Amino acid sequence: MALPEIVSREEWRRAREELLVEEKALTRARDALNAQRRRLPMVEVDKEYVFEGGDGKASLYDLFEGRHQLVVYHFVFAPAADAGRRGCAAFLDQIGHLAHLHARGTTFAAVSRAPYTRILPFKARMGWTLPWYSANGEDFDRDFQVTREHEGEPVDRPGLSCFLRDRDRVFHTYSTYGRGLDGLGSTTSLLDLTALGRQEAWEAPTGRASACGAPARSERIRFHDEYDE
């Protein structure tokens, strides 16, 4: 095994400080990219989709659960399969407590092509409690480019799509796939993909920080059982 070079504590400190310069530059570049993402235009979703979840039939509007934003993870689970893709399961395993997203007016949900009768036992096996819906028989995954045709057969890939609600209108703001999912899963990483972002005062563009009706400040982070929706 090729291990790192062994050096003195002082040599390590100097090397660490050199790397820190690069890390801070990457952080600033990421902040700028996130701001550029929030400036993307959006497109209205006027197509009617019918999902099935724990409470029966639901529209895309219903998936918001009354909040301003919706983050959908496109979980690869074929209609005839008994289990979802392992990589997708690993992604859901790392999703944190949803209260932190909810406090920022954002709902997280998984959507798959498998019938809900197949999703439910697998969800129970994995011990997940987050919302998970079936889009079986709908064009949702095709329309958002996670299901594509290959030699006449549907082929799925994992992805993530963000939506924004303005009263009763729903808009698609962002989608990413493949390596675009690397590093995602934490509350802040998911919020950084949305049109409203983390809703903190330092973020650009201005004017969106209090979009969810709460003061924009980092002190809004609380223990997950202390949020008052």
Side-chain angles (χ1 to χ4, degrees), residues 61 64-70 163-171:
Y61 177 89
F64 281 78
E65 297 179 345
R67 301 184 182 94
H68 288 77
Q69 298 193 121
L70 170 66
F163 302 89
L164 179 68
R165 181 179 65 84
D166 183 14
R167 297 180 177 85
D168 60 349
R169 301 172 70 189
V170 173
F171 299 88

Side-chain angles (χ1 to χ4, degrees), residues 144-193:
F144 291 94
Q145 302 177 14
V146 290
T147 299
R148 296 170 292 177
E149 296 294 325
H150 179 70
E151 297 181 351
E153 295 294 329
V155 177
D156 297 332
R157 60 173 174 169
L160 189 146
S161 295
C162 299
F163 302 89
L164 179 68
R165 181 179 65 84
D166 183 14
R167 297 180 177 85
D168 60 349
R169 301 172 70 189
V170 173
F171 299 88
H172 176 221
T173 60
Y174 184 74
S175 285
T176 189
Y177 317 93
R179 290 294 304 275
L181 300 171
D182 287 359
L184 300 181
S186 66
T187 297
T188 51
S189 70
L190 294 175
L191 289 172
D192 282 343
L193 302 182

Side-chain angles (χ1 to χ4, degrees), residues 5 27-28 51 120 186 195 228:
E5 179 185 2
T27 297
R28 290 190 292 269
F51 304 92
L120 195 57
S186 66
D228 182 6

Side-chain angles (χ1 to χ4, degrees), residues 33-35 37-38 67-71 95 97-108 160 162-163 173-174 183-200 202-204 208-209 212 220-221 227:
L33 181 62
N34 289 337
R37 183 186 294 112
R38 288 189 291 272
R67 301 184 182 94
H68 288 77
Q69 298 193 121
L70 170 66
V71 176
I95 297 297
H97 204 291
L98 296 182
H100 300 294
L101 284 172
H102 294 172
R104 286 147 188 86
T106 305
T107 298
F108 180 91
L160 189 146
C162 299
F163 302 89
T173 60
Y174 184 74
L184 300 181
S186 66
T187 297
T188 51
S189 70
L190 294 175
L191 289 172
D192 282 343
L193 302 182
T194 67
L196 301 183
R198 304 183 192 187
Q199 298 149 45
E200 297 183 2
W202 58 268
E203 287 182 304
R208 300 185 188 179
C212 289
R220 291 174 58 203
I221 297 174
Y227 289 115

